[in-house]
């Protein structure tokens, strides 16, 4: 089996900033309520002519440049998204076209906000078994197009952006401890709670889109916020601890926990259950909000580009989202 290593990261967020004050003008809310209940101060919104693959393209180019790799070096493109440009072709195929890549394969992975961990796991399998050598993996979302702007409980949470990694084979496993690379990734789902976080419209259940489906708001996100909060804290922290346990490492060994940035109180509750101090948890929620699958790679890219991770540091990447789906990955940098 091949070892799998992250050799480049990149990210992109659109220019337009939506502040809590902007939302105060839209719904009955306040900057104070949003900050204290969610930790979000502002978020980004894609321009009208930007779709998911456009955001992904900028993140991908930055990751390729950091990795010193060209499009010709790639065997595969994987995109994690729940907001593809179109349902067919996939966002990954649009991205492949934008990169001018006429070889290899490209496809999407959908695990909602946990999409980065699921996509990482998929990419790992291809590289470990020798089916692919170098993969561009991007998580990209235009969440603001799925938002019900009159639902004050959820419209305050979401933003747009993309984060990318270049994954490559790093030599045969030989039983010696891994110096760099992905140590373990665990993914989990429980479809029986699917209704707690869903975008009901647009799929085969409701198409063709009708006046009725639009006026019933079926094409915007619905969330049972407090319920999904409770389930998330329990399952998410357990996934992190199980992933550490699988490698014989402990919370004390972590340099950073880079969790999905859904809600600051949720991140704090997960850290508390893990007995992890918040000084080891990297946060970007205040400036970007919840960008679904893209929050983890955008945050990872910030940690890397600001020089806050050194070779050999242990990083935990983790996420929870609709499905329900959740998971964690341990990376030796
Ligand atoms: N501004 C002001 N008041 C608001 C509000 C807003 N934007 N949204 C809700 N409220 C009100 C509610 O109407 C309620 O009022 P009431 O007590 O008079 O009925 C009160 O605030 C408390 O509502 P509640 O839903 O209990 O708040 P909460 O503390 O659970 O926060 C969420 C709501 C959505 C922020 C929170 O539950 C959450 O983030 N959940 C996780 C959701 C999530 O991210 N899940 C997926 C992970 S990817």
């Amino acid at each position: 089996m091949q070892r799998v290593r992250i050799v480049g990261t990149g990210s992109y967020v659109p220019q337009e900033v939506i502040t809590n004050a902007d939302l105060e003008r839209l719904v009955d809310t306040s900057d104070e309520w949003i900050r204290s209940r969610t930790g979000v101060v502002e978020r980004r919104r894609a321009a009208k002519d930007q779709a998911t693959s456009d955001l992904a393209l900028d993140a991908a180019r930055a990751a390729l440049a950091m990795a010193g790799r060209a499009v010709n070096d790639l065997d595969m493109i994987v995109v994690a998204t729940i907001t593809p440009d179109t349902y067919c072709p996939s966002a990954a195929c649009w991205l492949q076209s934008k990169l001018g890549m006429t070889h290899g394969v490209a496809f999407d992975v959908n695990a909602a906000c946990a999409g980065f961990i699921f996509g990482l796991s998929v990419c790992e399998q291809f590289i470990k078994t020798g089916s692919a050598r170098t993969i561009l993996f991007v998580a990209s979302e235009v969440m603001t197009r799925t938002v019900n702007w009159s639902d004050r409980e959820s419209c305050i949470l979401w933003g747009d952006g993309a984060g990318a990694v270049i994954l490559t084979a790093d030599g045969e496993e030989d039983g010696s401890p891994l110096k760099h690379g992905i140590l373990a990734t665990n993914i989990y789902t429980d479809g029986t709670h699917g209704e707690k976080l869903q975008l009901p419209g647009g799929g085969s259940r409701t198409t063709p889109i009708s006046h009725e489906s639009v006026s019933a708001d079926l094409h915007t996100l619905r969330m049972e916020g407090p319920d999904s909060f409770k389930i998330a804290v329990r399952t998410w922290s357990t996934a992190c601890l199980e992933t550490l346990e699988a490698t014989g490492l402990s919370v004390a060994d972590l340099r950073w926990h880079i969790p999905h940035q859904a809600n600051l109180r949720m991140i704090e509750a997960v850290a508390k259950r893990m007995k992890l101090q918040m000084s080891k948890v990297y946060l970007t929620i205040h400036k970007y909000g919840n960008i679904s699958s893209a929050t983890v790679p955008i945050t990872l890219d910030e940690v890397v580009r600001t020089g806050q991770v050194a070779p050999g540091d242990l990083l935990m990447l983790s996420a929870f989202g609709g499905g329900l789906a959740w998971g964690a990955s341990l990376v030796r940098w």
Side-chain angles (χ1 to χ4, degrees):
M1 291 287 218
Q2 286 288 319
R3 291 170 156 172
V4 185
R5 185 172 178 187
I6 298 174
V7 290
T9 64
S11 61
Y12 170 81
V13 289
Q15 277 181 352
E16 190 191 355
V17 174
I18 312 270
T19 64
N20 289 346
D22 293 328
L23 294 176
E24 283 175 359
R25 286 188 282 277
L26 266 185
V27 286
D28 180 15
T29 190
S30 67
D31 176 47
E32 197 282 325
W33 194 96
I34 301 173
R35 280 177 197 244
S36 62
R37 296 295 182 113
T38 72
V40 186
V41 178
E42 56 187 44
R43 66 290 284 148
R44 301 299 178 97
R45 179 159 59 190
K48 279 202 170 67
D49 61 352
Q50 285 181 310
T52 294
S53 67
D54 300 309
L55 274 48
L57 180 63
D58 280 350
R61 283 185 173 142
L64 282 165
M66 185 190 286
R69 299 294 206 281
V71 169
N72 275 343
D73 298 323
L74 300 175
D75 304 313
M76 183 178 283
I77 297 175
V78 178
V79 173
T81 189
I82 50 167
T83 54
D85 307 36
T86 53
Y87 284 106
C88 178
S90 64
C93 282
W94 288 121
L95 178 61
Q96 185 184 27
S97 159
K98 290 189 164 106
L99 285 166
M101 181 171 158
T102 51
H103 66 279
V105 291
F107 59 90
D108 288 359
V109 169
N110 175 340
C113 297
F116 187 76
I117 308 299
F118 278 64
L120 209 55
S121 180
V122 169
C123 294
E124 263 189 277
Q125 313 311 316
F126 278 100
I127 294 176
K128 274 185 177 171
T129 55
S131 306
R133 186 160 179 83
T134 305
I135 302 180
L136 163 64
F137 171 40
V138 194
S140 183
E141 307 280 9
V142 185
M143 295 306 294
T144 58
R145 306 242 167 92
T146 69
V147 167
N148 176 350
W149 291 105
S150 61
D151 176 5
R152 68 175 181 168
E153 194 175 303
S154 80
C155 75
I156 54 168
L157 295 169
W158 307 97
D160 303 334
V165 292
I166 305 294
L167 297 155
T168 193
D170 198 34
E172 280 284 333
E173 285 175 0
D174 58 6
S176 62
L178 195 70
K179 288 204 183 94
H180 308 280
I182 301 179
L183 299 174
T185 304
N186 287 321
I187 53 175
Y188 313 76
T189 58
D190 180 355
T192 63
H193 291 296
E195 78 294 344
K196 297 216 174 342
L197 192 62
Q198 58 169 324
L199 213 171
S204 58
R205 181 76 54 203
T206 51
T207 42
I209 292 169
S210 60
H211 288 294
E212 289 74 25
S213 69
V214 172
S215 33
D217 266 331
L218 295 186
H219 303 282
T220 57
L221 273 171
R222 288 174 182 195
M223 198 176 63
E224 294 175 24
D227 258 19
S228 60
F229 191 113
K230 276 183 224 140
I231 299 173
V233 171
R234 180 172 40 81
T235 54
W236 189 348
S237 54
T238 303
C240 293
L241 293 172
E242 281 178 2
T243 307
L244 276 167
E245 207 179 293
T247 56
L249 292 160
S250 76
V251 167
D253 296 314
L254 291 177
R255 171 66 187 94
W256 288 115
H257 182 203
I258 301 177
H260 169 47
Q261 313 276 314
N263 178 313
L264 177 58
R265 288 188 298 134
M266 201 144 89
I267 292 171
E268 286 170 344
V270 169
K272 194 172 169 199
R273 277 183 72 114
M274 289 173 67
K275 299 192 171 57
L276 172 69
Q277 68 254 40
M278 279 304 287
S279 59
K280 285 193 171 183
V281 181
Y282 203 96
L283 299 170
T284 52
I285 186 159
H286 52 291
K287 51 186 178 179
Y288 302 138
N290 184 346
I291 317 180
S292 192
S293 66
T295 66
V296 173
I298 288 173
T299 307
L300 172 66
D301 187 46
E302 181 168 312
V303 170
V304 173
R305 281 177 196 270
T306 53
Q308 297 185 70
V309 60
D313 280 351
L314 189 65
L315 304 179
M316 168 152 277
L317 315 177
S318 72
F320 175 92
L324 299 173
W326 64 98
S329 185
L330 260 183
V331 179
R332 178 74 70 193
W333 197 252

